[in-house]
Amino acid sequence: MDLAIKLIVLLPLVAAAMAGLFCRVVGDRPAQIVTCAALLIAAALSVFVFVRIGFGPEQAKLVVVRLFTWIDSGNLEIAWALRVDTLTAVMLIVVTGVSSMVHVYSVGYMAEDPSIPRFMSYLSLFTFFMLMLVTADNLVQLFFGWEGVGLASYLLIGFWYDRPSANAAAMKAFIVNRVGDFGFALGIFAVWMLSGSVGFHEIFAKGPEMAAMRIKFLGMDLPALETACLLLFVGAMGKSAQLGLHTWLPDAMEGPTPVSALIHAATMVTAGVFMVCRLSPLFELAPVAGQVVTLIGAATAFFAATIGLTQFDIKRVVAYSTCSQLGYMFFAAGVGAYSAAMFHLMTHAFFKALLFLGSGSVIHCLHHEQDMRHMGGVKEKAPQTFYLMWIGTLALSGIGVPFVLGHGIGFAGFYSKDAILEAAFGVHTSVGTIAYWLGIVAAFMTAFYSTRLMFMTFYGKYRGDHHTWDHAHESPPVMLIPLYVLAAGALLSGLVAVGWFVGADWEHFWGHAIAVKATESVIHHMHEVPLWAKLLPLIMGIGGIALSYVYYVVQPDLPGRTVAAFRSLHTLFFNKWYFDELYDAVFVQPALAIGRFFWKKGDGATIDGLGPDGIAARSLDLAGVLSRFQSGYLYQYAFVMLLGVAAVVTYFVLQVR
């Protein structure tokens, strides 16, 4: 077991080093083979660890593999250790499973790129940092992985560095995440100050004691644990693109499509959800922080869905869908349904990675065309991609048949999204009720815009360049095989795992990996939700699909008429609620103005003016004055010499007297 855990974490690092340092000389194929093999082995070992941890005896549900002492300073000792419990085991399946499929997919998608070894190295490096994050046994190690995935995402988003838009997107992602990470760091400092430790075991043991403490922050006397949890959540908001710190996510689509699937579907953006669930014993004792998490998550689910209705870039539609679904996960965690949040995280990873890679297959088919207004009828050219993306779309929409085999039969999202909404309704709190209704409306919009993507892309007549259409073709098998694997996850993961995550077996499955008390209460309330509340998400999903069919297949003129009737609202949604413009006016431009002032007035006029530039200028003036004495006439030089002699004689005469 210990060896398997070490190999899972370290194989991607070794592969990244080999591909990045050596395969540039050897060639593209060895880089692809090494990285794909490493990730496939790690994925297979993750399945083994998942089975042993998730379904093993109670005493074997937590394994800590200590590697070495990392920091030893005074009373602070931090070990580099790999913590694997059920929560980690689920994340290992998600990270290595999706990452291995993305690696294989990239062999075909990036076949013509001149920098294949660098790309494969970046992918594996990102996977390593993500694995370090999910296996962390303390907050410092978690923060290391947290910052590592931020660095790797910067490299991947800006992979095509010759594009100004890619550079700008990479910088935006990096800077916005640093805002959230500042809050996360403050939260870690606060927890360490309150508990005297950064290890999870010690922190959780002191949770009740920390809940009774007060802390001075910005001149205010505040409940210590509530403040720490809110600061930690700020970090989660940045990494998981929640409302306010979400602006980087759609711009990150400038990276290659496999990057979008890896980072923005299944791994990095879920780090915030994982962190909140990992620290659930603390959030369980901080009810105000839980309410904030619920409201922010619900608002994000609704907000991102409204933007997804109006976008035309195929990858951006899926990106805003990701942002919206992350909101679902957060408000599930906020009401205490940590198991439901992780359930949706897992199912979402499969169908959202499927949608991203399917979108990449469409882009590959149409020679890098991403605007859905220039698509149509693509199912004729890419029939396999068409059917596979329908599986992902129906999973995202939460379509299924209830009351069959107990939990019903449906796509993955049918089980996990419904579990979240039932949990929010079942807790019978004001914030839970708000989250439920915002989630219901978002479910309708999700079904609408996701099927809108399908109808605009695959149905009707082709609206783009006919030269592109003549050369359009289905993706090669190396790109389709990962889609089939992810489609299997989108079809079966919900049905197979519903009993483990939120069903009768949840307690044995999870052990003590999450806050058991809160989860037990929420699952109890879920079973008492009235029938109409259980069925409403499915009804809204079917209604969204039906309305989209009417709009984009039956009466394709309806979208234009609707936009004309609701011009202001459409403009608001299409321009992403003007968050980018607001931030530019409030933060970017003032910062640039301040920087320009200190550059011109401070550095240029003052420091350089009084320093090197000023001295140089005065030296030049003095040289100009002295140059006047260099006339070139001999009698003038003789006259000056006589004056000098006279001055010397006069000096000595005066000295003698």
Side-chain angles (χ1 to χ4, degrees), residues 290-308:
Q291 291 176 359
V292 172
V293 173
T294 303
L295 291 174
I296 294 291
T300 304
F302 175 84
F303 159 81
T306 62
I307 301 175

Side-chain angles (χ1 to χ4, degrees), residues 13-25 27 30-32 34-35 116-118 120-122 124:
L13 178 63
V14 174
M18 292 179 65
L21 299 177
F22 304 112
C23 290
R24 292 180 63 183
V25 179
Q32 295 168 335
V34 167
T35 52
I116 291 174
R118 179 166 62 91
M120 303 303 291
S121 176
Y122 288 172
S124 296

Side-chain angles (χ1 to χ4, degrees), residues 156-192:
L156 286 168
I157 295 168
F159 177 75
W160 288 320
Y161 54 82
D162 54 335
R163 300 181 182 179
S165 58
N167 287 325
M171 288 293 295
K172 187 176 184 178
F174 193 82
I175 293 169
V176 173
N177 272 277
R178 297 293 76 72
V179 175
D181 293 352
F182 179 68
F184 188 43
L186 290 178
I188 294 174
F189 297 152
V191 170
W192 177 75

Side-chain angles (χ1 to χ4, degrees), residues 37-306:
L39 266 296
L40 289 169
I41 294 171
L45 291 173
S46 296
V47 174
F48 166 74
V49 171
F50 176 81
V51 173
R52 289 285 300 273
I53 296 292
F55 307 100
E58 188 67 28
Q59 63 271 17
K61 280 192 167 297
L62 174 61
V63 177
V64 179
V65 182
R66 185 184 177 98
L67 299 181
F68 54 85
T69 299
W70 185 19
I71 299 173
D72 189 358
S73 178
N75 296 325
L76 180 64
E77 182 179 351
I78 302 173
W80 196 290
L82 307 177
R83 178 190 183 96
V84 181
D85 54 13
T86 305
L87 184 64
T88 303
V90 171
M91 292 301 297
L92 291 180
I93 289 287
V94 170
V95 174
T96 59
V98 174
S99 182
S100 60
M101 293 300 101
V102 169
H103 276 71
V104 174
Y105 180 91
S106 299
V107 173
Y109 190 87
M110 303 293 290
E112 299 178 0
D113 196 274
S115 301
I116 291 174
R118 179 166 62 91
F119 182 76
M120 303 303 291
S121 176
Y122 288 172
L123 285 182
S124 296
L125 182 65
F126 174 90
T127 307
F128 163 73
F129 280 123
M130 193 66 201
L131 291 170
M132 290 306 307
L133 190 157
V134 301
T135 58
D137 189 45
N138 55 74
L139 286 170
V140 175
Q141 186 181 331
L142 190 149
F143 188 76
F144 173 82
W146 194 273
E147 294 301 307
V149 294
L151 170 63
S153 69
Y154 168 80
L155 296 173
L156 286 168
I157 295 168
F159 177 75
W160 288 320
Y161 54 82
D162 54 335
R163 300 181 182 179
S165 58
N167 287 325
M171 288 293 295
K172 187 176 184 178
F174 193 82
I175 293 169
V176 173
N177 272 277
R178 297 293 76 72
V179 175
D181 293 352
F182 179 68
F184 188 43
L186 290 178
I188 294 174
F189 297 152
V191 170
W192 177 75
M193 183 185 69
L194 296 172
S195 65
S197 175
V198 292
F200 292 139
H201 180 74
E202 295 81 5
I203 292 171
F204 298 158
K206 293 186 178 181
E209 182 182 341
M210 294 161 62
M213 296 180 181
R214 310 288 295 182
I215 189 173
K216 296 287 186 181
F217 185 72
L218 298 177
M220 298 178 287
D221 185 42
L222 302 170
L225 190 58
E226 296 277 11
T227 305
C229 287
L230 286 172
L231 289 170
L232 292 168
F233 177 61
V234 171
M237 288 177 62
K239 198 66 71 184
S240 296
Q242 293 300 282
L243 184 61
L245 295 177
H246 68 281
T247 55
W248 67 270
L249 186 63
D251 289 2
M253 298 300 106
E254 290 291 339
T257 299
V259 173
S260 303
L262 181 62
I263 296 179
H264 311 120
T267 51
M268 190 183 87
V269 293
T270 61
V273 181
F274 167 80
M275 184 268 289
V276 172
C277 293
R278 168 62 76 204
L279 300 178
S280 57
L282 299 184
F283 280 87
E284 184 181 8
L285 300 170
V288 175
Q291 291 176 359
V292 172
V293 173
T294 303
L295 291 174
I296 294 291
T300 304
F302 175 84
F303 159 81
T306 62

Side-chain angles (χ1 to χ4, degrees), residues 338-397:
Y338 303 106
S339 60
M342 290 302 302
F343 189 22
H344 197 53
L345 187 155
M346 183 198 69
T347 60
H348 173 266
F350 291 116
F351 61 73
K352 189 52 61 69
L354 172 61
L355 287 172
F356 265 117
L357 296 184
S359 299
S361 182
V362 172
I363 296 168
H364 182 268
C365 171
L366 299 179
H367 301 278
H368 306 290
E369 178 60 68
Q370 295 184 200
D371 194 328
M372 295 187 299
R373 291 171 293 187
H374 301 156
M375 299 180 184
V378 178
K379 66 180 179 179
E380 297 179 18
K381 298 288 186 176
Q384 295 184 70
T385 301
F386 167 70
Y387 291 115
L388 290 166
M389 284 198 68
W390 258 124
I391 294 174
T393 299
L394 294 174
L396 173 61
S397 303

